[in-house]
Amino acid sequence: GYKGLLGPAKNSGVVMRYFSDVSNLVLEAKSGNLDVVMGWRSLDAKASGEIEKQGYNLAKGVGVEPNFLALDFRNMPFGTETDTPDAAKALAVRQALAHVIDKQSFADNAHFGMAEVATSIVPSAIPGSYDAMTALYGDGQGGPSLDKAKQVLASAGIEVPLDLEIAYSPDRYGASVIEQVIDLADQLNQSGLFNATLKALEWSAFREARTNGQLASWHQTWGPDYTEVDNYVTPLIRSDLNYIRGAYVNKDVDALIYAQLSESDFVKRSEILKQIQQQLALDLPAIPMLSTDRFALVKSGISGVAETFDVSYKFRLGNISR
């Protein structure tokens, strides 16, 4: 009975199946029993490659789900509750991380091309996103710069390597994210600037540790409730909400976040959002790494999957046909 803009459903019904183990999903695909295999967080490069060999075609969506390295201003190196609190040195550490991380490596390898390098906490596909990171960090063109990372730490009088524990939740975000955080730790260790270690926490334990201020840094993915720019800045950054839970408070940023909520002029609101993202790039409560894509592997003869992957973050079952 749907009478909206998309028109009537193109099929008479869809059967959805859920798999608790990716190996069972791959076996079903190899048997030809699945028409569409949703990738999203569940499939890594190996599993996707095995399914593609069975004649499935890859349909890629738009990246609207950011992930980032969050830092707790209390517990990170030189944080406010450490034995050696120093705001200037803590900022230098965050800047060095932003300089040295090779994000393209994550996109190409861990996410096998199903992600884009993030230049803001707001994905570039979202109207209102602003690239405040590229010109400030790394080689100025989106790549890393070890020399700049070394320079910023040396200028702050920081001895290296610095110990940094990075927490993540392996049961929440899938195999590709596990590969990403392993690559992240390897990059930091190979730089000679950090002694990075990984701490895997089951999701409920991860959330509790993050909320209670028990982590120094962690990998975080954000799935928006709706794909409007405010749903990235307000819940993630505003100090009375702050989903990141990194003890970041900037009252000027809070004021800008409130201001954009009631600004009806698109141009004026865009300027406010630009200012927010510029300040976040300077303060670095979180270092944007990737915007990950939703994707699917589609059996030949099935239509409409690629067309439903758009910035809306919705998968429209009525659009699929045989």
Side-chain angles (χ1 to χ4, degrees), residues 211-264:
T211 301
N212 293 337
Q214 298 170 341
L215 305 177
S217 69
W218 60 93
H219 166 276
Q220 182 71 59
T221 292
W222 174 248
D225 302 294
Y226 51 90
T227 50
E228 209 283 332
V229 63
D230 176 69
N231 198 241
Y232 295 89
V233 295
T234 289
L236 288 174
I237 298 299
R238 208 175 77 190
S239 60
D240 60 332
L241 299 174
N242 201 327
Y243 179 80
I244 296 177
R245 304 294 184 190
Y248 171 69
V249 177
N250 186 318
K251 294 301 182 183
D252 292 334
V253 171
D254 282 351
L256 290 169
I257 291 175
Y258 279 112
Q260 61 85 27
L261 282 171
S262 58
E263 180 53 69
S264 59

Side-chain angles (χ1 to χ4, degrees), residues 60-247:
K60 180 180 177 181
V62 178
V64 297
E65 194 174 79
N67 75 41
F68 40 86
L69 177 65
L71 295 120
D72 193 308
F73 280 35
R74 296 161 293 190
N75 304 320
M76 66 167 292
F78 307 105
T80 58
E81 296 182 6
T82 65
D83 294 335
T84 54
D86 188 314
K89 288 184 176 181
L91 176 58
V93 172
R94 298 194 298 276
Q95 291 171 336
L97 288 166
H99 281 308
V100 81
I101 293 173
D102 183 354
K103 303 175 186 180
Q104 192 63 54
S105 173
F106 306 149
D108 292 343
N109 299 315
H111 293 269
F112 54 102
M114 296 294 103
E116 288 79 41
V117 166
T119 58
S120 167
I121 204 166
V122 182
S124 60
I126 304 298
S129 175
Y130 176 75
D131 178 1
M133 295 287 293
T134 301
L136 289 178
Y137 301 108
D139 63 4
Q141 300 180 16
S145 173
L146 178 57
D147 288 340
K148 288 184 179 178
K150 288 179 177 178
Q151 182 180 357
V152 74
L153 292 175
S155 297
I158 297 173
E159 295 184 6
V160 296
L162 281 164
D163 291 336
L164 183 67
E165 183 177 76
I166 303 169
Y168 69 103
S169 180
D171 61 323
R172 178 68 173 179
Y173 299 118
S176 292
V177 161
I178 296 173
E179 292 185 36
Q180 180 181 337
V181 294
I182 291 171
D183 187 2
L184 171 61
D186 286 344
Q187 287 183 24
L188 297 181
N189 290 332
Q190 290 172 16
S191 74
L193 304 180
F194 295 90
N195 177 28
T197 56
L198 296 177
K199 183 176 184 177
L201 293 170
E202 186 270 335
W203 176 239
S204 60
F206 174 87
R207 286 191 302 171
E208 182 178 355
R210 181 192 64 193
T211 301
N212 293 337
Q214 298 170 341
L215 305 177
S217 69
W218 60 93
H219 166 276
Q220 182 71 59
T221 292
W222 174 248
D225 302 294
Y226 51 90
T227 50
E228 209 283 332
V229 63
D230 176 69
N231 198 241
Y232 295 89
V233 295
T234 289
L236 288 174
I237 298 299
R238 208 175 77 190
S239 60
D240 60 332
L241 299 174
N242 201 327
Y243 179 80
I244 296 177
R245 304 294 184 190

